[in-house]
Amino acid sequence: MATSNMPQIGQIVRVNRGRESGSYAVIIGVVDQRYVWIADGGKRKSDAPKKKNVIHLELLPAISSEVADSITTTGRVTNGKLRFALTKYADHESAKAQEKGE
């Protein structure tokens, strides 16, 4: 699990400010404590990530090991892996919500 104040590569985030607010993305690079590079593999591709201020993001406790491993070994990640990580997270959250509702 990630700490709430330090962004990590592969961490799932929710965008709270800007044009893409309400959408989810994955951190694919950390500039410093304040800025990160995010991509979602769909609208925002991994070869053209968005530099985002951390205070405009909600850092979620989920970290995609597939994305983190790919970036640490090859230095890059495919858009398919980013989409897979976000879909897996969304499926996990919806299953958790259904359990809570029953």
Side-chain angles (χ1 to χ4, degrees):
M1 290 290 162
T3 58
S4 61
N5 57 358
M6 284 300 299
Q8 297 179 11
I9 291 179
Q11 188 169 9
I12 310 288
V13 297
R14 193 172 80 138
V15 180
N16 291 332
R17 296 273 195 271
R19 185 173 293 174
E20 300 170 351
S21 65
S23 65
Y24 292 87
V26 182
I27 295 176
I28 62 170
V30 177
V31 178
D32 53 25
Q33 286 184 321
R34 190 169 178 181
Y35 291 100
V36 295
W37 293 100
I38 62 169
D40 63 6
K43 182 178 176 186
R44 179 65 62 183
K45 305 285 185 187
S46 64
D47 56 350
K50 173 79 175 164
K51 186 178 180 182
K52 202 78 171 150
N53 193 327
V54 175
I55 62 173
H56 296 163
L57 301 172
E58 178 184 347
L59 300 175
L60 301 171
I63 296 178
S64 171
S65 59
E66 294 91 0
V67 173
D69 291 343
S70 178
I71 292 174
T72 55
T73 56
T74 64
R76 53 192 296 284
V77 64
T78 63
N79 293 316
K81 279 188 184 174
L82 293 173
R83 289 190 304 268
F84 174 77
L86 292 172
T87 303
K88 186 174 162 183
Y89 174 76
D91 291 346
H92 176 71
E93 287 301 306
S94 66
K96 201 162 55 167
Q98 285 180 350
E99 283 179 12
K100 195 179 279 188
E102 291 181 354

